[in-house]
Amino acid sequence: MTKNLQYAVALIVTVFISAEVFSQEVFNIDDYATHEICEGIMHDANGGLVPYADGDNNTITLCTVGGETQINLYFIGFNLSDGDILTIYDGVNTGAPLIGSYSGEVLLFETISSTNPDGCLTVNFTANNDGNTGDFSCKIICGVPCDFPVAIMEAGSDTLKICPGEEFTIDGSASYWTEGANLEVATWDLGDGTNNTTDWPVLSHSYNTPGGYRVRLYIEDDNECFSLNIPEIVVLVSTPYVFDLQASAPLVCEGTEVFIGNSDFMVNPDNTFTNESQNGNTVNWTESSTVDFGDGVYIPDNTGLCQYSEITFNQFGNAVIDDAFDFSQISFEMEHSFVGDIIINLICPDGSVMNIWPEAGGTGTYLGEPDENDDGVPGIGYEYVFSPNSTGGTWLEGMGGFGGTVPAGNYEPEGDWMDLEGCPLNGTWQLEICDVVGIDDGWVFSFGIAFAPDFYPEILTFTPVVGEECDSSYWETPNELDLIGANCDWAQFIAEDAGVYTFTYTVVNDFGCSYSQDITVNVAPEPIVTAADVFLCVAGVPMDVDVTNPYPGWIYQYQWSPTDGLSNPNIQNPLVTGVTEPTTYTVTVFPTFDENCVGSATMEVGQIDPPVVEVLEEFVYFCGPGTEVSADVPGAPNGLSFNYTWTPAGSFADNTQVTDGVATAIVNSISNAPFEVIVAAAPTSDAGCIGYDTLTLIVPDAPAMDPITDLTFCEGSNIPITAPDGTGYYYYWYFSEDGEDYEQVAANSAGTYTVNETGFYQVVVEEPICNLTSITEYVVVVETCVIVIPNVFTPNGDDNNSTFEILGLDQFPSSTIRIYNRWGNLVYESDNYSDQWTGDDAAEGTYFFVLGVKKGGNYEYYEGHLTLLRD
């Protein structure tokens, strides 16, 4: 065991004992000349927390009490400076037999026992006044002493530095106890409020939360003897690293130089590349040393009982109150009406009492701002502090000037601080409040005690350190870096290609903990600029320029050349005017942060006449909503696009489509027919350059059939059905014998049908453009008709039998006739004979005829002779 570890043991040795028996006497070697005692702790002249003085010379005789015959000194701390001697005699004075003289560390964890019949030992300590000091303390036990186990921890160092979550081990196997006894229990105090009693002899543990942890070991054997020493190993768990990592420009263009490193380096880049900053800071951790506070408590009205707020301490070993300044302060936050109705006391763990406020009676002064309804509802508490160095006087002394409420502040108690002399720090301290008069209540919200700073161990504090070399801070992607600083804390990067580049900066501290942070540099391509040609026929047309920008937050600058005719040569789309000859303009574009990141485009500006608009159809049938109308601008310059306007606007859907230069609009409604539509077109580059044309919308009528006046037909005759303007109409014929269950019998575009039987006929006529239809029904009687051919006719001018009249021929849809003279010469012919031959210019005599009559779709022929007479 090292000297430092022994000294640490001496400072904290009494913690475990005090947790078991805090009422044993604790004193210093110079407190008595002779002292009878069988249970206690004796320290050097400066006590257990402060080294002895370098000129100390102390002697004390310790004797048994209660009939015990043997007194034992078990040294729980022993670390004397060179030349300082502790001598022990087996008797009542320094003339008794010498047991031994001791220095250095030889008595640590050793027991010295008396053998004389008086049951006394005399102890002399002498320091050699060389300026060097040390420490000793011993436990006093009468009778046969317990052979106390000794707890020893080994971890390679008294202080371990680890990372969060990293496992560490501490070996307790060097601990020892009485030969023949067995280890009953080993308790590892993990310093975070938890214990481990399962791992032995090696503790394996980790902490996830950064900070300092005091790990201690307590052991007890099966003789119920426990270790009095408390070895301690401090485990420091690394705090995180706070990065300050930046890029000189997180968004750049291709080929731009970028520095990555600390913010100071970014603000003032050092061209000598000497700024090595580690790009961040480690985080300091300091052990907290706050006042311990007890729970709040409600003070009911005049219960006849006292209420208590409590705090329990176990970290101060065998320390006791020697004087008033062993207290730093006591404090409580409280509200109560009529402070004269209550008593307030501070009670220490051994029962000693110091009065803070007596039962003064009668006063109406308040503490804080109480709720006066006496219903348990808390009011507003004030903070009241009491300390040995206060000059604020007591509450009672200030009653004359408080004005009805005791102000928050620092006061003196009514009692004496020395009423608590000898009180152990460890144990339960109580704030006692007794309400002895009715009609009020109150609250204690918190209660705290702070002892003098010397009672607290040295506060742990640490800040991990990151080394300066490249093994402690470095870039994990050096292959993408063009230049790296000498200590790897800054780098230079030049990206030739667009993309997103991520660099990882890592630091490793002296705990061996690694922390990393990424920094991203976006490298964009040069601006992609496109420009469309512009054609003018009026002044003031904007240029048509677009910039493809992968980073919408960029702000661009524009430069046009030449500048003639432009409203502003430094904006994206300036107005162009007064250009009469074709002119080529060039626009150069670059972001404001990088004038070398350039894109450009050229465009032509030319002069055009107003467009000539032509509708594709001058007359369009309107067949209802959804009817399309179309227009074109023939002869327009190649690449010129147009905006179209259709009037009246209320008749059109707002969905003009342009395909292969032809604009199509949808007509939803018209108010009447014919309906005139005006279409206007203007190039997108010049809204005032307009051309017009018109078209007419016609609404077709549904077909109406001509009536059939004679519904009696000869067998094989045609029913003639026609509709007005019937070109392109189509006819569907249906027949039924009884007017039900019609069947289609014909479909044609001629408008006729040859009937062969009596019955019901239905005719459907379809208009081909808008698919309008009409239906007509007829009842038809079919008869067998007879043809009578005369053999003589007399065209002599008396209007009697003056034509060759064939009776019954009009019942058939068509007929043909050929008439020959007796020499076989054709003298008359007709393909649709209707009694027309008058014999004009023909001589009297006999003639031969051939008559063809169409029946049922075929011709039936008749031949014969006739005589022409004029007398």
Side-chain angles (χ1 to χ4, degrees), residues 60 66 115 138 164-165 241 270 284 322 412 417 497 529 545 567 595 648 761:
I60 188 171
T115 60
C138 62
Y241 193 83
D270 186 348
N284 174 264
D322 286 332
E412 302 172 37
W417 290 98
D497 299 316
V529 184
V545 175
S567 61
E595 62 182 12
Y761 289 86

Side-chain angles (χ1 to χ4, degrees), residues 699-705 723-724 729 765-767 770-775:
V699 179
D701 295 324
M705 282 77 72
Y729 286 5
V765 184
E766 182 180 90
E767 183 270 325
C770 294
N771 296 321
L772 302 175
T773 60
S774 65
I775 300 175

Side-chain angles (χ1 to χ4, degrees), residues 191-213:
D192 59 0
T194 64
N195 294 329
N196 180 317
T197 59
T198 58
D199 289 353
W200 180 258
V202 177
L203 169 70
S204 295
H205 190 64
S206 64
Y207 299 99
N208 292 322
T209 303
Y213 300 87

Side-chain angles (χ1 to χ4, degrees), residues 5 93 124 140 172 209 217 244 251 282 436 524 573 714 749 752 762 789 811 814 836 840 869:
L5 177 58
N93 54 46
N124 171 258
I140 302 170
T209 303
L217 175 62
D244 180 15
L251 177 60
T282 55
V436 295
N573 297 307
C714 295
S749 59
T752 62
Q762 189 180 77
I789 304 173
Q811 300 295 319
S814 63
Q836 299 100 322
D840 293 345
L869 299 176

Side-chain angles (χ1 to χ4, degrees), residues 28-149:
N28 296 340
I29 191 172
D30 60 347
D31 288 347
Y32 305 99
T34 299
H35 192 43
E36 294 181 352
I37 184 171
C38 276
E39 185 70 23
I41 300 290
M42 182 181 75
H43 293 292
D44 58 58
N46 279 345
L49 297 176
V50 181
Y52 55 73
D54 63 357
D56 280 355
N57 190 332
N58 313 112
T59 300
I60 188 171
T61 298
L62 304 170
C63 297
T64 63
V65 294
E68 295 288 349
T69 60
Q70 181 177 335
I71 189 169
N72 309 279
L73 306 181
Y74 177 74
F75 285 88
I76 53 180
F78 198 82
N79 180 22
L80 305 188
S81 176
D82 290 345
D84 300 340
I85 303 294
L86 186 137
T87 304
I88 304 176
Y89 301 90
D90 191 11
V92 296
N93 54 46
T94 57
L98 175 66
I99 294 178
S101 295
Y102 308 95
S103 62
E105 303 172 2
V106 296
L107 280 185
L108 183 63
F109 307 136
E110 299 293 334
T111 300
I112 303 297
S113 302
S114 68
T115 60
N116 64 84
D118 296 323
C120 296
L121 290 173
T122 298
V123 179
N124 171 258
F125 172 71
T126 302
N128 65 359
N129 206 25
D130 63 356
N132 297 316
T133 60
D135 184 275
F136 65 86
S137 57
C138 62
K139 180 173 177 62
I140 302 170
I141 308 168
C142 293
V144 178
C146 192
D147 191 358
F148 297 104

